[in-house]
Amino acid sequence: GQGVDEPLSATGFRQADAAGVFLSNVKFTHVFSSDLLRAKQTAATILGKNKFCKDLEIKYDARLRERKYGVAEGRPLTDLKAMAKAAGEQCPSFTPSGGETLDEVRERARDFFEFLCRLAVELEQKEQDVHGAASRSSGASEEQLVFPWTNHCSEAELSSGNGGASKLLDANILVVSHGAYMRNWIGYFVSDLNCTLPTNLTKSQLSSVSPNTGVSHFIIKLENGNLLRPEITCVCLNQDSHL
């Protein structure tokens, strides 16, 4: 939850190191992190391993915090499950007293995603103002967009998300958050925005919480800067081969 702001454990730092090595060849344009300590430390560790953007500023955002669990915060998961059972409900839909509902978490995720979309559109407009659309799209290099998980998905999945274009992405954004929050965010992508999923993804995988430092990769297309109809393709979900 949010109320117990503990640092990473030794295991957590090892996992963050592994994720940083895994993502070391990806040139990010932006890094956003939850403002909770464990996420901040994870983001800093990942960026510290990066070959291209060690000095990139990490921006902290409270909208990326873990779900708030109210009276259950700081207590074992078994306590939360017992509270849910006593209320005749089940996790994760159960909301402890003082906690956030799933709808409230999803609203935070929607608000932050729309902020990212606006950011990408503004970048595109700035690029066109500086260079002109024709010169910009003619010769961008892809050498620093080496995604380590391309071996784990088909070429079709990658090309379907970027229209086959071979130009530099306008924004390549690393977001570091928390398990329950991200499960709700992905649910928003799928149910509200019709995100295209990998063909081999099972329903249980879609509803599961990511392992610590699990990596999910989404390609977002905003055709003609249309913020209302983003096209979203999930390349991989909760990837953990680096652990």
Side-chain angles (χ1 to χ4, degrees), residues 167-190:
K167 67 175 184 175
L168 198 67
L169 300 178
D170 300 316
N172 193 28
I173 303 171
L174 173 66
V175 178
V176 180
S177 185
H178 308 269
Y181 175 87
M182 289 189 292
R183 177 170 59 185
N184 278 272
W185 191 350
I186 292 163
Y188 162 66
F189 275 3
V190 173

Side-chain angles (χ1 to χ4, degrees), residues 48-238:
K49 298 286 184 183
N50 197 277
K51 296 178 181 178
F52 305 109
C53 44
K54 289 181 190 294
D55 297 326
L56 193 62
E57 179 188 3
I58 302 172
K59 295 184 179 178
Y60 305 113
D61 199 303
R63 288 174 293 185
L64 293 173
R65 286 183 179 183
E66 181 58 290
R67 182 183 180 188
K68 185 178 180 181
Y69 282 93
V71 295
E73 295 203 342
R75 296 168 65 174
L77 181 60
T78 52
D79 285 8
L80 177 64
K81 290 180 177 179
M83 290 178 195
K85 186 176 181 179
E89 298 182 46
Q90 289 185 322
C91 297
S93 57
F94 170 67
T95 302
S97 176
E100 279 183 297
T101 65
L102 294 182
D103 285 344
E104 288 171 333
V105 177
R106 185 169 294 197
E107 179 61 23
R108 276 202 285 130
R110 182 195 63 78
D111 187 57
F112 184 77
F113 176 65
E114 290 179 355
F115 157 74
L116 290 185
C117 289
R118 289 193 299 271
L119 177 70
V121 169
E122 288 168 5
L123 281 174
E124 170 76 15
Q125 291 170 344
K126 286 179 182 177
E127 285 286 346
Q128 290 190 3
D129 290 343
V130 173
H131 300 297
S135 63
R136 180 183 173 277
S137 60
S138 61
S141 168
E142 276 195 303
E143 63 181 356
Q144 292 175 338
L145 291 175
V146 182
F147 294 109
W149 47 83
T150 50
N151 293 334
H152 299 274
C153 59
S154 69
E155 290 297 320
E157 284 171 335
L158 280 175
S159 63
S160 69
N162 62 15
S166 58
K167 67 175 184 175
L168 198 67
L169 300 178
D170 300 316
N172 193 28
I173 303 171
L174 173 66
V175 178
V176 180
S177 185
H178 308 269
Y181 175 87
M182 289 189 292
R183 177 170 59 185
N184 278 272
W185 191 350
I186 292 163
Y188 162 66
F189 275 3
V190 173
S191 63
D192 293 28
L193 300 180
N194 299 313
C195 173
T196 301
L197 298 169
T199 53
N200 62 347
L201 194 70
T202 66
K203 192 171 183 179
S204 63
Q205 287 174 307
L206 183 62
S207 61
S208 64
V209 172
S210 173
N212 287 340
T213 68
V215 176
S216 297
H217 178 201
F218 295 90
I219 296 174
I220 317 294
K221 280 180 66 179
L222 297 168
E223 200 69 46
N224 298 318
N226 187 347
L227 295 170
L228 299 178
R229 297 182 61 186
E231 293 180 27
I232 306 176
T233 300
C234 176
V235 177
C236 65
L237 190 72
N238 301 339

